[in-house]
Amino acid sequence: MGISARNQIKGKIESVQEGAVNAIVTLKTEGGSTITSTISMASVKDLELVSGKDATAVIKATSVMIGVGDMKLSARNQLTGEIINVTEGAVNASVTLKIDAENAVTSTISLAAVKELGLAPGVKAKAIIKATEVMIAV
């Protein structure tokens, strides 16, 4: 099955913390980053998610925020890296952030935000993704 989500990051499940309704699934990427996902217990059971299983974190580009500087946030995923590409459109821009040796994350944000934050290749930044916005595929 092909999907349109721009960010498909492969790795291995590091842990599954089960709750009554949801679980927190932690994925260690092939490049060494950690991505956390909050998904339903039904999905954990249906996908047979356990530590050590190969999986892919799937994240829509519109669910990825970009930040610069020191930030204290509740978002579980704060992936530090360097911007490697900015493609500007009339209203929005596509920003790609290299997060480790193997992976990059792409964000679709407003052109105004790109200008206000001074986003350009070489700038250090963070991709901010709520755990509830991360899907897990196997």
Side-chain angles (χ1 to χ4, degrees):
M1 171 177 72
I3 58 174
S4 64
R6 298 279 308 269
N7 302 300
Q8 299 176 36
I9 302 171
K10 295 180 181 181
K12 285 196 182 295
I13 296 182
E14 192 170 62
S15 67
V16 179
Q17 182 183 354
E18 296 185 2
V21 176
N22 291 328
I24 297 173
V25 177
T26 303
L27 181 92
K28 188 71 144 187
T29 72
E30 294 174 353
S33 295
T34 300
I35 298 176
T36 301
S37 173
T38 300
I39 61 174
S40 70
M41 281 304 300
S43 292
V44 168
K45 300 297 181 203
D46 289 348
L47 297 172
E48 300 175 351
L49 300 180
V50 294
S51 294
K53 185 170 187 167
D54 290 332
T56 302
V58 179
I59 310 152
K60 291 178 60 175
T62 53
S63 295
V64 179
M65 294 175 277
I66 300 291
V68 294
D70 226 7
M71 299 173 284
K72 290 186 180 183
L73 302 168
S74 64
R76 304 278 300 175
N77 300 298
Q78 298 182 34
L79 306 168
T80 302
E82 182 176 308
I83 295 174
I84 57 172
N85 187 54
V86 176
T87 304
E88 297 182 359
V91 176
N92 290 326
S94 177
V95 178
T96 304
L97 182 77
K98 183 99 170 145
I99 59 169
D100 60 39
E102 302 291 324
N103 297 293
V105 174
T106 298
S107 173
T108 299
I109 60 175
S110 72
L111 185 57
V114 168
K115 300 295 184 194
E116 288 168 13
L117 295 172
L119 302 180
V123 170
K124 302 287 186 206
K126 286 185 182 177
I128 311 298
I129 309 155
K130 289 183 65 170
T132 53
E133 296 297 317
V134 178
M135 295 171 275
I136 300 291
V138 294

